[in-house]
């Protein structure tokens, strides 16, 4: 076992595994609670699973979630709830360093996942990339980056490669996009971006990368990190109110379309208004995907993460979530929207084929709820 891994697990062993008290069920302010969902598919006949960046897998037909094994997401619970045979950790304590940040993404088949962990070992400026079998939790690969801030890592569609982004704070603030051969850990290609700014990327089914950076979307050749621009915001006068591309850039399963968010500045600074758009991978047919009348009183639309269904028929999105800050938080909801929609109005009544999902995300309640907050996610088989 590598030295850094030994240090990490020694830290785990010295933690007192105490359990204190019993937590309650759902949190306040839930929207559309349903404590008796009944039998059968509770989400409009949709299939597959939702995989969130912090390691939850939600079975869409039942709406129920569980934590994926492998990563020691929680060492113990300060508060917990037991319902039947299920254990719900309502106040977890982390084991990776003092303030770790997890960004986990599944393979296209969902049989394994890769997670970037910032500050993964207490006392070291170390970030970890770890790979696990989704079903067994067995570690199947790892990579450490010292003095580099790793953002996200994702498997290629065939699982034989992975790409990740990082910023080397010791030398430059410009981010780097890197491809690694997952079989022999060989570096295949890397590109240092010319300026500061985040990168959001996704693999295509023919092993190209699609990435968003500083107001543009770029497509590479197979196994390359050098991209060709297919979209630039400033080429569209109607986008003058928008200032950037959000972190959710998602490629359709057939590799033909890209879904992403554009965001605007906001006077309060407590959240960022975002709206979803779709464009063909060759840069044609750019159009607004969905809209929602503001419910928070200031006219701003608040969309979040996006994910294509495995068959490409739907795009799953989160709408309405505002994190707590200067103002009260606002609950979000998940919607599966037909992927051929054009500027469709999000609704809760099932109009235009839109399905509002209910889950017990994070297992903090035995009940299924329409509320879904603060998550980046993918839709897997």
């Amino acid at each position: 076992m590598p030295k850094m891994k030994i240090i990490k697990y020694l830290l785990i062993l010295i933690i007192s595994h105490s359990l204190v008290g019993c937590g309650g069920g759902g949190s306040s302010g839930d929207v559309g609670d349903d404590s008796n969902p009944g039998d059968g598919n509770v989400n409009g006949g949709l299939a597959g699973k939702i995989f969130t960046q912090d390691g939850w897998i939600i079975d869409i037909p039942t709406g129920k979630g569980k934590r994926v094994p492998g990563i020691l997401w929680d060492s113990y619970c300060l508060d917990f709830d037991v319902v039947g045979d299920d254990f719900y950790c309502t106040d977890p304590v982390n084991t990776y360093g003092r303030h770790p940040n997890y960004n986990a993404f599944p393979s296209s088949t969902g049989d394994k996942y890769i997670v970037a962990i910032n500050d993964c070992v207490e006392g070291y400026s170390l970030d970890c990339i770890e790979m696990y079998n989704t079903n067994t939790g067995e570690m199947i690969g790892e990579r450490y980056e010292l003095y580099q801030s790793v953002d996200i890592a994702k498997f290629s569609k065939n699982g034989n490669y992975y790409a990740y982004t990082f910023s080397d704070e010791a030398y430059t603030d410009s981010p780097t996009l890197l491809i690694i051969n997952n079989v022999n850990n060989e570096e295949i290609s890397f590109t240092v971006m010319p300026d500061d700014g985040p990168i959001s990327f996704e693999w295509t089914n023919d092993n190209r990368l699609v990435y968003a950076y500083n107001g543009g979307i770029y497509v590479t050749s197979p196994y390359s990190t050098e991209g060709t621009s297919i979209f630039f915001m400033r080429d569209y006068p109607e986008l003058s109110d928008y200032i950037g591309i959000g972190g959710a850039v998602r490629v359709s399963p057939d590799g033909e379309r890209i879904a992403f968010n554009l965001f605007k500045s906001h006077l309060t600074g407590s959240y960022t208004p975002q709206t979803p758009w779709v464009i063909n991978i060759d840069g044609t047919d750019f159009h607004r995907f969905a809209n929602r009348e503001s419910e928070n009183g200031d006219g701003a639309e608040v969309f979040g993460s996006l994910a294509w269904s495995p068959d490409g028929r739907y795009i799953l999105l989160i709408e309405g979530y505002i994190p707590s800050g200067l103002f009260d938080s606002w609950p979000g909801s998940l919607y599966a929207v037909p992927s051929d929609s054009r500027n469709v109005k999000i609704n809760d009544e099932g109009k235009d084929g839109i399905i509002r999902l209910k889950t017990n995300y994070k297992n903090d309640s035995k009940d299924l709820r329409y509320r879904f907050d603060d998550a980046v996610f993918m839709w897997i088989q």
Side-chain angles (χ1 to χ4, degrees), residues 23-314:
S27 57
S28 61
D30 291 340
V31 179
D33 288 355
D34 184 354
S35 59
N36 185 23
D39 298 329
N41 192 307
V42 301
N43 285 312
L46 298 175
K49 298 178 175 64
I50 300 169
F51 189 110
T52 74
Q53 68 174 6
D54 52 355
W56 290 96
I57 294 181
I58 302 164
D59 180 66
I60 294 177
T62 64
K64 295 188 176 181
K66 64 179 181 180
R67 212 66 179 272
V68 66
I71 288 287
L72 296 175
W73 308 96
D74 311 320
S75 60
Y76 61 96
C77 296
L78 293 177
D79 203 0
F80 69 97
D81 190 15
V82 178
V83 179
D85 295 328
D86 294 325
F87 176 86
Y88 301 95
C89 183
T90 60
D91 193 0
V93 176
N94 294 310
T95 61
Y96 283 89
R98 184 171 296 175
H99 301 291
N101 180 44
Y102 305 108
N103 281 300
F105 287 90
S107 63
S108 60
T109 58
D111 63 327
K112 57 186 177 182
Y113 68 94
I114 184 169
V115 56
I117 311 167
N118 300 129
D119 298 325
C120 57
V121 178
E122 185 72 26
Y124 292 85
S125 181
L126 186 73
D127 286 5
C128 300
I129 299 173
E130 299 178 352
M131 289 149 270
Y132 293 88
N133 182 295
T134 302
N135 296 316
T136 67
E138 176 188 2
M139 179 181 281
I140 55 178
E142 58 186 337
R143 184 181 179 92
Y144 298 104
E145 295 290 355
L146 188 63
Y147 304 123
Q148 294 176 346
S149 178
V150 177
D151 298 315
I152 59 174
K154 294 182 180 180
F155 285 118
S156 61
K157 297 300 183 182
N158 60 18
N160 294 332
Y161 297 82
Y162 63 93
Y164 67 96
T165 58
F166 68 88
S167 296
D168 188 345
E169 298 174 352
Y171 301 101
T172 177
D173 290 330
S174 298
T176 298
L177 179 61
L178 177 68
I179 295 178
I180 302 293
N181 187 319
N182 194 32
V183 177
N184 58 20
N185 214 32
E186 177 186 359
E187 295 184 4
I188 302 300
S189 175
F190 75 92
T191 297
V192 180
M193 300 299 159
D195 300 300
D196 192 13
I199 306 173
S200 176
F201 72 90
E202 183 89 338
W203 288 89
T204 67
N205 53 5
D206 59 355
N207 296 307
R208 293 179 291 169
L209 290 177
V210 173
Y211 67 88
Y213 169 71
N214 280 2
I217 295 179
Y218 302 82
V219 180
T220 74
S221 300
Y223 308 112
S224 172
T225 53
E226 293 288 341
T228 299
S229 175
I230 66 160
F231 170 84
F232 187 64
M233 288 176 50
R234 295 299 163 249
D235 293 336
Y236 293 83
E238 64 270 30
L239 301 179
S240 59
D241 291 339
Y242 292 88
I243 62 173
I245 300 174
V249 175
R250 305 288 184 253
V251 181
S252 61
D254 62 7
E256 296 298 322
R257 292 179 289 170
I258 305 165
F260 58 98
N261 285 320
L262 295 177
F263 66 87
K264 300 178 179 180
S265 61
H266 200 252
L267 295 177
T268 68
S270 62
Y271 64 95
T272 302
Q274 293 192 119
T275 52
W277 302 74
V278 171
I279 192 172
N280 288 341
I281 201 166
D282 62 1
T284 61
D285 196 23
F286 170 64
H287 60 274
R288 178 76 177 266
F289 178 64
N291 70 85
R292 181 67 181 254
E293 293 181 359
S294 174
E295 296 179 351
N296 51 41
D298 65 358
E301 297 174 85
V302 185
F303 288 88
S305 188
L306 304 166
W308 292 84
S309 63
D311 60 9
R313 294 175 55 200
Y314 291 91

Side-chain angles (χ1 to χ4, degrees), residues 27 29-33 50-54 56-60 63-65 302 304-305 316-322 330-335 356-363 368-378:
S27 57
D30 291 340
V31 179
D33 288 355
I50 300 169
F51 189 110
T52 74
Q53 68 174 6
D54 52 355
W56 290 96
I57 294 181
I58 302 164
D59 180 66
I60 294 177
K64 295 188 176 181
V302 185
S305 188
L316 184 67
L317 52 82
I318 185 171
E319 186 277 331
Y321 174 64
I322 299 175
W330 198 268
S333 292
L334 281 176
Y335 296 89
R356 189 185 186 196
L357 278 70
K358 48 191 173 184
T359 72
N360 69 342
Y361 171 51
K362 291 188 177 180
N363 272 6
L368 300 182
R369 302 171 299 182
Y370 287 113
R371 179 169 181 159
F372 194 92
D373 296 345
D374 193 22
V376 174
F377 49 80
M378 302 294 288

